[in-house]
Amino acid sequence: MRILSSILVLSSFLSLSASFVLPVLASSSSTCLALTISNDSSSTTNMKPLFFQHTISITAPSRGCHLVTSQIQRAIQNDLAGMEMGLMNLFIQHTSASLTINENADPDVRLDMETALNRIVPAQWNRDGTFKHTLEGDDDMPGHVKSSLMGASVNVPITKGRLALGTWQGIYLCEHRDQGGYGGGHKRNIVITLQGQGK
């Protein structure tokens, strides 16, 4: 992995298109990995570094997985416009909610994700002695586990002033607690950090 990272950095630095054949280091056989690196940017020498950071708050309407791509894009639209390439990091500042990327078209996917998470970490573990941290409700400790399983952050590449999400990809805020609804629910803070290059 270190060799691969070094090659990627070197290729980017020299602005080259190259083709490499590397041995697969983890294998005892003579299998090789073919790697093609293509720099689709004609020149990066005239670009200036850009950094932006925002914190937004979103309250999910209920427990479950919620599509929040449009809220994220609204918060960064002015910054994105001047960015040729870069990376957006989203970080949720909570321990019973999470972020992930998945299908943005069929809402049944979000329902199925919640069903799967509830099967993986059932609330009954809070009552049957499996969990010790039980004072904050049946959804609290399962929410902590789900948060760690799904993750507190996601990264999305930025290409020519747009988030380089796939056609069917969307950003989910996953609310793992029943108390996470509107009106007295959990307000979730998400830190958005953009770094990249612009002209």
Side-chain angles (χ1 to χ4, degrees):
M1 199 63 189
R2 190 173 292 170
I3 293 171
L4 180 59
S5 297
S6 299
I7 291 171
L8 290 172
V9 169
L10 180 61
S11 177
S12 176
F13 178 75
L14 297 176
S15 298
L16 296 175
S17 290
S19 188
F20 300 94
V21 177
L22 302 173
V24 178
L25 301 178
S27 173
S28 59
S29 68
S30 60
T31 306
C32 290
L33 169 70
L35 172 67
T36 301
I37 300 172
S38 176
N39 185 351
D40 62 358
S41 177
S42 57
S43 174
T44 59
T45 55
N46 295 326
M47 292 188 178
K48 61 181 179 181
L50 297 173
F51 298 88
F52 304 99
Q53 191 169 78
H54 307 278
T55 300
I56 65 170
S57 296
I58 300 174
T59 302
S62 63
R63 176 166 146 178
C65 300
H66 305 279
L67 196 59
V68 296
T69 312
S70 60
Q71 291 98 311
I72 300 296
Q73 288 177 321
R74 273 198 302 274
I76 61 173
Q77 60 187 353
N78 293 335
D79 303 328
L80 272 182
M83 197 168 281
E84 283 292 304
M85 63 178 182
L87 191 66
M88 175 185 72
N89 173 265
L90 302 176
F91 179 79
I92 193 164
Q93 296 180 307
H94 303 278
T95 60
S96 55
S98 60
L99 298 169
T100 192
I101 294 174
N102 217 301
E103 181 174 326
N104 63 8
D106 185 353
D108 285 346
V109 173
R110 299 191 289 279
L111 295 174
D112 290 344
M113 290 285 286
E114 175 65 10
T115 299
L117 287 169
N118 291 334
R119 294 275 180 98
I120 293 166
V121 191
Q124 70 188 38
W125 286 359
N126 227 45
R127 298 184 297 276
D128 68 8
T130 302
F131 290 148
K132 306 293 182 254
H133 177 77
T134 59
L135 296 178
E136 297 177 52
D138 282 349
D139 61 348
D140 183 56
M141 189 60 216
H144 293 319
V145 176
K146 292 171 187 176
S147 176
S148 287
L149 290 173
M150 298 295 280
S153 68
V154 295
N155 294 314
V156 180
I158 298 166
T159 305
K160 299 188 184 309
R162 299 180 57 137
L163 295 179
L165 289 165
T167 301
W168 307 113
Q169 288 182 316
I171 301 165
Y172 288 11
L173 164 62
C174 302
E175 174 56 66
H176 302 305
R177 299 211 61 188
D178 293 319
Q179 294 90 336
Y182 290 117
H186 294 297
K187 184 169 68 172
R188 302 306 192 180
N189 298 323
I190 300 172
V191 180
I192 308 171
T193 303
L194 306 177
Q195 54 185 339
Q197 293 182 307
K199 294 192 174 179

